[in-house]
Amino acid sequence: MTKFDPSYEESVSSIHNRLFFRLFQAGNTLDRQTTKTLGITTVQWAVLGALSRPQASEGMSFSDLAEYLVVSRQSLDGVMKRLERDGHAHRITDTADRRAKNVVLTEKGRTFWEALQPKIYEFYRQSLEGFRFDDKVSLVYFLNRLNEGMGDVDLEKENVTTRTPGSSRATAHK
């Protein structure tokens, strides 16, 4: 099988499809399991984790937090409303720009986050039980590369070649 062989293209397409479907499944499993075992959603977990970092000890802007987490402002707003309702975080007006809001972890939120740590580490341990250390390092490396690649996707740029699944004919778009 060569890369000019139609069956090569089909098998590459098939592995790409399976890879992205497995990522989809892993994300959904993570969502389901964190809610069930930790009592918080993955986005709440990510927000609390981001705000608990030393570099965010004074909080961070709402926009920077949304960008850091790679979530929409609307999605983050809904999560923030729940975290504010529970007393884990709050928004304050930026002193330099009265239109901007900063997000700060409350003392209750910090205590909650610290109390979650043993469960989180046990979650990690059990999830990655079958992985060697080098496997984990490699997985982080490849997920970083995939994330960068997805960030660079531009289906509108010149000379994008598309293939119809099952077809060996490429169409270049200019």
Side-chain angles (χ1 to χ4, degrees), residues 16-153:
H16 290 170
N17 188 50
R18 286 193 352 219
L19 172 64
F20 278 88
F21 184 68
R22 293 294 182 252
L23 287 169
F24 171 77
Q25 286 179 316
N28 288 335
T29 301
L30 178 62
D31 282 339
R32 187 179 320 122
Q33 286 298 97
T34 56
T35 301
K36 184 170 107 180
T37 60
L38 299 174
I40 58 173
T41 67
T42 53
V43 182
Q44 289 171 321
W45 182 356
V47 169
L48 292 170
L51 294 175
S52 71
R53 298 171 306 137
Q55 57 269 46
S57 62
E58 302 298 314
M60 59 192 299
S61 79
F62 187 85
S63 295
D64 287 347
L65 182 58
E67 187 175 316
Y68 178 73
L69 298 174
V70 193
V71 297
S72 70
R73 292 175 57 84
Q74 294 82 3
S75 177
L76 181 57
D77 183 58
V79 172
M80 279 304 303
K81 286 176 181 170
R82 289 188 295 278
L83 291 173
E84 288 172 316
R85 181 197 64 213
D86 295 340
H88 294 147
H90 65 273
R91 289 178 256 204
I92 56 174
T93 303
D94 186 293
T95 54
D97 181 355
R98 308 289 298 159
R99 297 168 298 165
K101 295 287 185 188
N102 288 329
V103 181
V104 179
L105 192 62
T106 64
E107 195 54 45
K108 181 179 178 183
R110 188 166 305 284
T111 300
F112 178 73
W113 178 249
E114 288 170 6
L116 274 178
Q117 293 310 294
K119 285 183 177 181
I120 288 172
Y121 283 102
E122 181 59 16
F123 185 94
Y124 292 156
R125 190 192 68 71
Q126 289 181 27
S127 297
L128 296 166
E129 203 165 36
F131 288 74
R132 297 180 322 227
F133 179 79
D134 291 348
D135 297 335
K136 296 171 195 177
V137 171
S138 294
L139 183 58
V140 168
Y141 171 77
F142 287 118
L143 288 173
N144 283 340
R145 287 200 49 203
L146 176 62
N147 205 29
E148 289 168 11
M150 287 189 299
D152 292 340
V153 168

